[in-house]
Amino acid sequence: MKKGLFITFEGADGSGKTTQVNKIKTYLEEKGYSVVVTREPGSLELGKRIRDILLNYEGDVSDKCEMFLFLADRAQHVDKLIRPSIENGKIVLCDRYTDSTIAYQGYGREGDIDLLKHLNNIAIDSLTPDLTLLYDVSAQIAQERIGAEKDRMESSGIEFHKKVRNGYLELLKNEPERIKMIDANNSIEKVFEDTKKIIGELIQEKLGA
Ligand code: TYD
């Protein structure tokens, strides 16, 4: 039975969402909630090994191999950490989840979106987030934030970023109930205010607190 809450954080590289995950964790803990912060790829021991391949492997990685690695990491993550934590009444904050696969492997790498949705669903066994925050950032600001040190995914270039961003906006159009967009071009403090407001409304609605 579901007792906690599941919130995911999405956006293109350089959107600043990880900063927000950490700020909201502190904020919720100060209010007395029990919070689990996690991320994809690579939260657990096995996932860290997968993450290392995904972000640091220097050889050629086929698109299909990349897709299955992200999905394998997710399946383990849901079974071993996310679902048990929600069942234990925690608020789970997850930095990237299924929408990243649709935006990056689907729209970015031009994979089959229906197939990706289907495979995602196998990996998560229908564990859909209660809320997904989409941090939308322009390609230019994102590139400035990322700087010169890029990992394998970030090295895919500005055109790739634009495709990923458009993918997220398509997802938003299709699921406006679950996905809420935040303008991540703004200052960290303004973005945090927007984040707190939306999460506060969810907690009020679902936990009545
Ligand atoms: P990470 O360093 O965690 O980036 P960020 O701080 O932006 O989340 O790297 C994760 C990278 O993996 C990022 O470029 C997005 C990509 N990714 C996918 O392509 N598909 C996925 O399913 C997931 C979870 C991440």
Side-chain angles (χ1 to χ4, degrees), residues 9-13 15 17 63 66-67 70-71 74 96-117 120 132-136 153 156-172 174-175 178-179:
F9 294 72
E10 294 281 358
D13 293 270
S15 63
K17 67 187 162 39
D63 287 356
E66 179 183 282
M67 171 188 84
F70 280 115
L71 290 166
R74 180 161 306 131
R96 296 195 181 282
Y97 193 56
T98 45
D99 299 310
S100 284
T101 306
I102 306 300
Y104 282 77
Q105 282 63 54
Y107 289 92
R109 302 259 192 251
E110 300 180 6
D112 179 336
I113 292 180
D114 285 336
L115 176 68
L116 287 166
K117 285 188 175 168
N120 252 339
T132 296
L133 294 173
L134 169 58
Y135 293 86
D136 184 54
M153 295 302 293
S156 300
I158 202 153
E159 282 312 310
F160 182 73
H161 180 285
K162 285 186 184 155
K163 285 197 263 180
V164 169
R165 184 184 182 198
N166 288 336
Y168 274 125
L169 296 176
E170 278 301 310
L171 284 166
L172 174 70
N174 294 334
E175 283 186 81
R178 171 175 67 88
I179 306 177

Side-chain angles (χ1 to χ4, degrees), residues 5 9 59 82 95:
L5 279 181
F9 294 72
I82 301 178
D95 192 344

